[in-house]
Amino acid sequence: MHQASTGIAAFLAAVAAVTVAHAQMDNPQAGIEAYREALQDGNPAELHEMAGEELWTTPAGPKNASLEQCDLGLGPGVVKGAYARLPRYFADTDRVQDLESRLLTCMETLQGKDPKVYIDASFTAPPKEEMNALVAYLSGQSRDVAVTVTPEHPKERAMYELGKRLFFFQGGPYDFSCATCHGQEGTRIRMQDLPYIPGHEGAAAGWTSWPAYRVSNGQMWSMQWRLNDCFRQQRFPEPIYASDATIALSTYIAANSNGAVMKTPGIKR
Amino acid sequence: MKHRALLVAVALLLPGGAAMAQSGPWGPGADDAAFAQMLKTSFKGRGVATLDRLNQDETQVFCSDPETVYAPESAARREEIEKVNLASVKWPADGVWLGDWKEGEKIAQSGRGNTWTDKPEQVNGGNCYNCHQISAEEISHGTIGPSLHNYGKLRGTDDAVMKATWAKIYNSKSNNACSNMPRAGHMGILSEEQMKHLMALLLDPRSPVNQ
C-alpha cells in the first residue's frame, strides 16, 4: 500500500511541479491554482480508504472481533453518512465524541483493545496509521453527504461553546490563538490561504476537506492530526489525542459548516 | 517567563481580576471552571512546549475575548495594556539601532523555534514573512500583517522612527493591545542582536526593502 501511494504521490508532485513552473512565469497565484487543480485528478487517499475498510471488517484484538457493529451514531454498523453527523453526543459514554474518540470506544468495547496505546502513539506509528486509515474509509462513506451538526443536547451545546472559547484563547510565547490565523477573512500565511473559521464558508472549506492525503509528505492526515499540528505551530503544549479540547474545536468548526457537502477524504499539497 | 505569573486557573477564577472584566460571549457549559477543567485534561507538555504556556498573562487574558477587545467601553483598558507592554521594552544597550540587513533577511525568512519539535538550543526565527510582505523579491509572503516594503523609504530614519520600530518589534502590544504580532523581545523569542538585524532590514537605505 505504501509503495503504491508513494508512487502516485511522486507522479502527482511531478505533474504539479511542471504545471506550477509554467504558470509561475505569469502569475504566482495562478500557478498555485493550477497546482491545486492538478491535485484533484487522483487521490491516493483511496488506498488508505481500502486499508481502512479492511481494518473495519477484519476481526482483531483480544476479543477477536471486527468493528462492523460499531455505532457511529446512526446505529450499529451504519457507516453511510455517519461521519457527516459527527461530533455528536453518545448516551453510552455520556460524552460528545468525534470520529476518532468514538472509534477508540468501539475498539475498546468490541475488540477489547487498550485505547491508551492508540492515544499515546505518534501520528506516524502503526497504531495511528490504523486510525488514519479507518478515518479515511469512514469519511469516504460520507463523501457528497451534507454536514449535519446542529448542537442540541446540552453537552453538544457546551462543547460548541467550549470550542468557540478555545478558538479565541491566546497563550504561549507567541500569544497565538486559533483566531490569530483563522479569525480574519482573506488572509494567508506565506502563500497558504487561511480559512476564516467563525464563518460558514471558511469553516466548510476546512471541515469538508479533512481528513486528507498530503502530497508533500505522502501521509494520510486525520482531523486530530490536523488540529495537533495547528497547536504545534501555535507553540502550545500538545493536545492529547481525542481529548475534549480537540473535540470541542471540531464541534465548533463542524457546526459552523453545517449544510456544506463533505468532500472527504480530501487531498492537500 | 517569570513575568507570566498568572496561572490560568487564577486568571479565570479569581473574582475582580482582569479576567472578570469580561466574562466573555460564551454560552452555557463554557464557564470559567468548565473551560479551565478542559484545558487541564486536554494538554500535555512536550519538549520546549511546557504546560505553563497555557498560563495567560493579563494581555493574553484581555485579548482572548473577541467581543470585548474592540468594544468602545474597553478603550481605557486597551490603553492600560499598551502602557504595561511599552514599559517592558528594553532599548538597545549601546544605543545602536541598526545591525546587518543581510542577517535580518535570514531572520525574517525563518519560522523556526519554540514548537515541541524544536530543540531548546534552536536559534529562533522571526516568522516575519509568514505574515508580512517585506522585500519585493520574496513573493511567498503572508498577508496577516501590513506590507513592510519600502518601510524606511516611506518613514525616514530619524530617532522617532527608530524608537517606534524598535518598540513594535520588541513588544508589538506596546502600541496595539491585541496586535496579532508576537512580542519578539518581551517573550525572549529574538535576541537584541537579532532585533537590530531586523531593524536594518527595515530601515537601512541599502536594504532591498528600501530599493
Side-chain angles (χ1 to χ4, degrees), chain B residues 71-84:
Chain B
E73 59 272 23
S74 302
R77 182 69 186 132
R78 281 200 300 275
E79 251 178 66
E80 260 174 56
I81 299 258
E82 286 161 11
K83 239 183 238 167
V84 168

Side-chain angles (χ1 to χ4, degrees), chain A residues 161-170 177-179 231 234 236 244-246 248-249, chain B residues 26 35 38-39 43 54:
Chain A
E161 295 298 330
L162 285 164
K164 183 179 176 188
R165 186 165 180 175
L166 181 57
F167 182 84
F168 291 101
F169 179 85
Q170 293 191 355
S177 66
C178 307
F231 278 116
Q234 222 173 302
F236 268 43
D244 277 353
T246 62
L249 266 183
Chain B
W26 328 115
F35 188 72
M38 180 183 77
L39 290 184
F43 289 89
L54 298 177

Side-chain angles (χ1 to χ4, degrees), chain A:
Chain A
M1 173 189 103
H2 287 293
Q3 269 184 353
S5 89
T6 309
I8 294 171
F11 172 70
L12 273 175
V15 170
V18 171
T19 320
V20 170
H22 180 72
Q24 258 179 357
M25 290 173 207
D26 308 322
N27 174 352
Q29 196 59 42
I32 288 166
E33 298 301 335
Y35 171 67
R36 284 178 186 147
E37 225 164 90
L39 287 184
Q40 301 304 320
D41 287 347
N43 188 348
E46 282 173 29
L47 297 163
H48 294 268
E49 287 183 71
M50 284 157 62
E53 183 172 13
E54 201 176 323
L55 285 165
W56 182 259
T57 53
T58 306
K63 295 187 181 174
N64 196 37
S66 79
L67 288 166
E68 287 164 301
Q69 287 308 302
C70 180
D71 183 355
L72 297 174
L74 300 180
V78 181
V79 293
K80 276 276 177 215
Y83 180 64
R85 292 174 172 267
L86 294 170
R88 66 190 294 163
Y89 173 77
F90 287 87
D92 58 354
T93 52
D94 193 29
R95 278 183 73 195
V96 176
Q97 295 183 289
D98 66 349
L99 176 59
E100 287 161 86
S101 56
R102 188 61 188 170
L103 279 171
L104 292 178
T105 299
C106 288
M107 290 160 96
E108 186 175 16
T109 56
L110 297 175
Q111 300 183 309
K113 289 181 175 176
D114 179 7
K116 197 172 176 332
V117 173
Y118 290 87
I119 291 168
D120 293 345
S122 91
F123 279 100
T124 52
K128 283 291 200 323
E129 281 182 347
E130 284 182 36
M131 298 305 294
N132 299 330
L134 282 166
V135 157
Y137 165 58
L138 294 164
S139 68
Q141 295 298 307
S142 280
R143 192 184 293 124
D144 300 326
V145 175
V147 176
T148 308
V149 177
T150 48
E152 279 156 21
H153 188 281
K155 290 208 172 179
E156 291 173 341
R157 285 161 65 173
M159 269 310 208
Y160 178 86
E161 295 298 330
L162 285 164
K164 183 179 176 188
R165 186 165 180 175
L166 181 57
F167 182 84
F168 291 101
F169 179 85
Q170 293 191 355
Y174 291 24
D175 306 325
F176 286 161
S177 66
C178 307
T180 307
C181 289
H182 296 289
Q184 307 145 82
E185 294 193 64
T187 53
R188 320 188 302 243
I189 290 281
R190 290 280 185 166
M191 296 305 263
Q192 182 65 49
D193 292 321
L194 299 163
Y196 172 69
I197 299 293
H200 172 78
E201 201 183 322
W207 188 254
T208 64
S209 64
W210 294 94
Y213 178 83
R214 299 197 69 167
V215 176
S216 54
N217 53 23
Q219 292 168 342
M220 179 69 222
W221 278 36
S222 69
M223 196 63 196
Q224 283 281 335
W225 195 351
R226 174 61 276 178
L227 292 177
N228 177 282
D229 202 56
C230 277
F231 278 116
R232 186 184 67 83
Q233 296 180 74
Q234 222 173 302
R235 274 75 181 177
F236 268 43
E238 186 172 24
I240 295 166
Y241 186 74
S243 62
D244 277 353
T246 62
I247 297 167
L249 266 183
S250 279
T251 304
Y252 177 64
I253 305 169
N256 287 349
S257 73
N258 188 51
V261 174
M262 277 290 177
K263 301 183 203 82
T264 46
I267 184 161
K268 306 275 182 178
R269 70 180 167 84

